[in-house]
Amino acid sequence: MPYKHNADRRHHIGKMKFRVTNWREYEAGLRQRGSLTLWVTPEALIGWRAPRRKTRGGQARYSDLAIETALTLGCVFGMRLRQTEGLLHSLLTLMGLKVPVPDHTTLSRRAQKWEPSARRNRPLPNGPLHVLVDSTGLKVYGAGQWLEEKHGVKSRRNWRKLHLAVDADSGEIIAHRLTDQNTDDPSQVAPLLDQVDGEIDQFTADGAYDGKPTYQAILQHSCTATIVIPPRVTAVACCDTGPPGQREKHIAAIASDGRLKWQAVTGYGKRALIETAIGRYKAQIGRRLRARSFAAQQTEAAIGCIALNRMLAGGRPESLRHQVRQA
């Protein structure tokens, strides 16, 4: 980190400590994540089978709800499709429900065509949002990188990039996109914002998103949004006539007061919350994708985000910074 204050002496600076104020509720939520309690509502039983088609072609046996239920169980418990089929079959048998269970072949095929029927996340809070955006890499199932590094064998399986937009107040994932590894971050700002229904009060991202296209995409969505993106070291102010834009003000403030003060004034430190969300995704859902086709991988990432939001709703820590008493 080239812009850290006292970078050469930071190993002597004490790490900030936080205290969880709702430990009892948070601990109960963590235990609930591992619960195998499963209930099926009468509405779910009615909608388990796919409605009969009136057009030409074969008749689907399972609805999207049944496919999503099976894929969600496999995502949460980290199982392959065959094991997911066995788990769902055993659970429904123990519950005494005589409903058909999708086999692993059906799950693999339908995962490539699955689309969410409605919004699965909790409603967004009223009022403008503070949106945090970042991306991370997910490995594709298979040897891939190891073969290339160890034996020099070129692999067709590379990486996927998961682009996330997170609500800074709740920590929930409010938008996501899965692309190939060659897709740049600024090009995904507009598709992410298209999934956000509410107005944006502040948009925060790292320096990879710096540039005019990003600013234009954000202001087209919310014309009054405050954009906090650190300009590059070589960034210069635009020569256009007229009042300076937000990017030009950032460049002038950093040149005048330094980058550290600019981060404190703009609240750039909140960007660490999306790093926490990415770490939560990789710890709970996984660092690699199990599906083989790109369409099924998009479904897997989407269901992973939905499941992660449900886990977060079950229990989230409320932390306060520990104040050091002065002697």
Side-chain angles (χ1 to χ4, degrees):
M1 300 295 292
Y3 303 112
K4 291 293 185 181
H5 189 59
N6 295 327
D8 56 338
R9 300 186 298 276
R10 285 192 63 83
H11 59 283
H12 294 297
I13 301 176
K15 186 178 180 180
M16 290 188 298
K17 296 182 179 180
F18 294 85
R19 179 172 57 88
V20 178
T21 59
N22 64 332
W23 177 250
R24 185 187 299 271
E25 295 80 6
Y26 178 52
E27 186 179 26
L30 292 178
R31 291 195 301 266
Q32 186 65 24
R33 294 182 186 181
S35 174
L36 276 174
T37 304
L38 181 70
W39 69 92
V40 182
T41 62
E43 293 79 9
L45 290 176
I46 295 174
W48 189 265
R49 296 179 181 271
R52 186 172 181 81
R53 292 179 54 179
K54 297 181 180 180
T55 58
R56 299 179 62 182
Q59 297 293 335
R61 189 179 184 186
Y62 306 99
S63 64
D64 288 340
L65 175 63
I67 301 300
E68 181 183 348
T69 301
L71 293 178
T72 301
L73 287 174
C75 178
V76 171
F77 295 104
M79 295 182 297
R80 303 298 190 266
L81 296 182
R82 287 179 174 84
Q83 287 75 32
T84 301
E85 176 188 352
L87 174 64
L88 184 58
H89 185 273
S90 64
L91 289 175
L92 294 177
T93 301
L94 291 174
M95 297 172 68
L97 298 176
K98 296 181 179 180
V99 293
V101 176
D103 59 86
H104 59 276
T105 304
T106 301
L107 292 175
S108 177
R109 175 171 46 83
R110 291 285 297 275
Q112 303 180 38
K113 304 177 182 179
W114 177 86
E115 293 183 1
S117 57
R119 186 181 180 87
R120 296 294 193 273
N121 299 334
R122 291 185 298 175
L124 295 176
N126 296 328
L129 301 171
H130 183 179
V131 178
L132 311 173
V133 172
D134 203 355
S135 65
T136 186
L138 296 177
K139 293 182 180 181
V140 178
Y141 179 84
Q145 187 183 20
W146 183 84
L147 283 177
E148 188 172 352
E149 293 182 356
K150 185 71 175 179
H151 301 290
V153 178
K154 187 172 180 59
S155 174
R156 292 176 296 176
R157 295 175 180 148
N158 296 318
W159 296 73
R160 302 297 187 198
K161 289 183 72 174
L162 179 61
H163 307 263
L164 297 178
V166 174
D167 178 18
D169 295 329
S170 64
E172 291 189 4
I173 300 173
I174 57 178
H176 64 274
R177 289 270 294 178
L178 187 72
T179 63
D180 58 74
Q181 62 180 0
N182 298 320
T183 303
D184 63 318
D185 292 341
S187 66
Q188 298 304 306
V189 172
L192 286 174
L193 296 183
D194 288 341
Q195 304 177 36
V196 181
D197 299 330
E199 287 291 321
I200 297 176
D201 177 52
Q202 181 170 326
F203 180 97
T204 305
D206 59 18
Y209 293 86
D210 180 41
K212 190 174 181 180
T214 301
Y215 281 78
Q216 290 177 344
I218 299 169
L219 295 178
Q220 285 178 359
H221 183 277
S222 301
C223 59
T224 60
T226 301
I227 305 173
V228 180
I229 300 176
R232 295 180 175 87
V233 182
T234 57
V236 295
C238 183
C239 299
D240 295 341
T241 59
Q246 297 190 50
R247 186 171 184 268
E248 285 69 29
K249 292 180 181 179
H250 292 326
I251 296 175
I254 292 175
S256 174
D257 302 326
R259 190 169 293 258
L260 189 65
K261 186 175 181 180
W262 173 86
Q263 292 179 358
V265 171
T266 58
Y268 179 73
K270 275 201 169 184
R271 198 195 68 83
L273 295 176
I274 194 169
E275 300 287 352
T276 303
I278 291 175
R280 188 186 303 119
Y281 182 96
K282 291 189 173 182
Q284 300 295 331
I285 307 301
R287 298 176 175 269
R288 63 170 50 191
L289 298 165
R290 301 180 183 88
R292 300 298 181 95
S293 66
F294 182 57
Q297 290 168 0
Q298 290 178 316
T299 297
E300 182 180 345
I303 291 180
C305 292
I306 295 172
L308 196 64
N309 284 340
R310 291 179 179 175
M311 293 180 186
L312 188 64
R316 183 186 180 203
E318 297 177 2
S319 303
L320 290 178
R321 184 176 175 182
H322 180 69
Q323 300 294 334
V324 180
R325 296 182 179 180
Q326 299 292 337

